[in-house]
Amino acid sequence: MIIVHEKTIELDKINQNINIVHLSDVHYGAIRHKKIILDLRDKLNELPPSCDLAIISGDLADGSCVVEEDDSLPLKDVNIPIVFTAGNHDFYLGIENVYNACRKAGIIILDNE
C-alpha cells in the first residue's frame, strides 16, 4: 500500500511554491515485484498537476533479486521528473543494475552530485 502524507516546509531562501513528492524504501524485489512499480506509477500520476518533482531517496530495490533493465520501465509513464539517489539496499546485488533500470525509465540519477 502506498500512503501519501502532506507536509509543508517553509524555507527562507525559496520564495515560490515547489511541490515535491518524497519516496523512500520502495524495496522492489522478490516479494514486492512488478506490482509495486505499477502501483507507484499510478499513485504518482494521481497527484495534482501542481506536483513538480518526485525524489526517491534510497532503497528502490531491496537486494533480494537482481534488478533487470526493464523493471522500472512503468515509471517512464509518470508525468513529472523523478530523481533517484541510492540507498544501502540498492547496492546488494549490483548498483549498476538499479542504475540501468532507472536510466531506461528516464529517471535522473544523482550519484555523489
Side-chain angles (χ1 to χ4, degrees):
M1 176 191 298
I2 299 170
I3 300 170
V4 176
H5 297 284
E6 291 188 32
K7 303 279 184 203
T8 300
I9 301 171
E10 293 187 23
L11 303 170
D12 293 335
K13 295 184 180 186
I14 297 178
N15 52 5
Q16 66 182 28
N17 287 337
I18 301 172
N19 294 302
I20 299 171
V21 177
H22 173 244
L23 305 119
S24 67
D25 300 293
V26 174
H27 287 282
Y28 172 89
I31 294 174
R32 298 176 74 183
H33 205 54
K34 297 194 184 303
K35 186 174 181 338
I36 190 66
I37 298 298
L38 294 171
D39 289 348
L40 192 56
R41 176 204 59 202
D42 294 345
K43 183 60 86 173
L44 288 170
N45 282 333
E46 288 172 5
L47 294 172
S50 61
C51 191
D52 300 304
L53 175 70
I55 298 172
I56 303 172
S57 64
D59 296 345
L60 177 58
D62 72 0
S64 65
C65 67
V66 174
V67 175
E68 301 293 335
E69 193 173 271
D70 290 342
D71 285 345
S72 296
L73 206 50
L75 297 178
K76 192 172 188 77
D77 297 331
V78 172
N79 298 322
I80 59 174
I82 301 173
V83 174
F84 170 73
T85 184
N88 63 316
H89 287 242
D90 298 306
F91 285 88
Y92 290 163
L93 290 175
I95 189 62
E96 279 307 313
N97 296 329
V98 177
Y99 284 171
N100 289 338
C102 286
R103 284 185 197 100
K104 189 156 186 186
I107 296 171
I108 301 160
I109 300 167
L110 297 180
D111 184 7
N112 293 319
E113 297 163 324

